[in-house]
Amino acid sequence: MAELRRRSTLLGAGLLLLAVSGGVLAMPQFRLQAIVQLHYDQLDPLWEYSGKVMSCTFCHVNKQGGAPWNVFGQALKAGFVANPRTSFGDVLYTVLKANGDSDGDGYPDAIEVFAHTLPGDPASHPDRPLAELQQEFDAAGGVAMYAPKAKKGNR
Ligand SMILES: [Ca+2]
């Protein structure tokens, strides 16, 4: 009986913890999608509960997200404006495929994604030569790695 009570208390505490963490750390839809599409989920098995896998400053100016967007975030927004019926995944892929360098730091956006630096912040860039990274990126599959999945959970 005491064991049962102990177990139900533990279960209750566990559920409460889950509810609290789910509420506090819930990530906006686009960020969740970008993390999976750009393979950042492979960095941490608990990525859904970690704010560190992809920071808000990937696309936003402020650490808390919201307006305004940085130059990379603005490129994504422009993609939506140009084609309002498109999906976020397609916009993200289109911007990366264009091989632009949103922040002008000398490293194209897709290469920064690959190197896990911020494509919208010139102060954040890979510390290795572009040619070397480009070769590694191409060998890994190039920008096609970041194509949106046809079906959710297909991999
Ligand atoms: Ca860049």
Side-chain angles (χ1 to χ4, degrees):
M1 191 65 193
E3 173 64 12
L4 186 68
R5 204 164 37 229
R6 197 180 69 83
R7 277 193 194 179
S8 68
T9 305
L10 273 179
L11 183 69
L15 286 175
L16 183 69
L17 189 69
L18 208 66
V20 168
S21 63
V24 171
L25 300 174
M27 279 190 239
Q29 178 71 34
F30 287 168
R31 187 158 159 220
L32 288 171
Q33 210 177 320
I35 286 172
V36 174
Q37 190 172 335
L38 305 181
H39 309 174
Y40 279 46
D41 56 333
Q42 291 164 14
L43 299 173
D44 180 353
L46 295 175
W47 65 271
E48 282 174 276
Y49 304 101
S50 166
K52 292 177 188 159
V53 172
M54 179 182 283
S55 71
C56 293
T57 53
F58 203 83
C59 293
H60 301 263
V61 169
N62 299 317
K63 282 179 187 150
Q64 300 80 15
W69 282 261
N70 64 33
V71 281
F72 181 68
Q74 284 171 30
L76 297 180
K77 284 185 83 173
F80 272 119
V81 170
N83 194 355
R85 301 180 74 173
T86 195
S87 68
F88 173 75
D90 283 334
V91 167
L92 185 57
Y93 188 45
T94 302
V95 167
L96 294 178
K97 262 197 310 192
N99 204 32
D101 175 11
S102 292
D103 58 15
D105 62 6
Y107 291 87
D109 300 338
I111 294 291
E112 293 220 58
V113 167
F114 184 65
H116 295 145
T117 55
L118 301 173
D121 177 359
S124 162
H125 56 76
D127 52 13
R128 295 166 53 199
L130 174 59
E132 195 181 300
L133 273 169
Q134 185 75 52
Q135 209 169 29
E136 234 172 80
F137 176 70
D138 293 342
V143 76
M145 290 186 284
Y146 304 137
K149 309 284 179 289
K151 270 189 206 158
K152 220 180 169 185
N154 213 13
R155 274 167 72 107

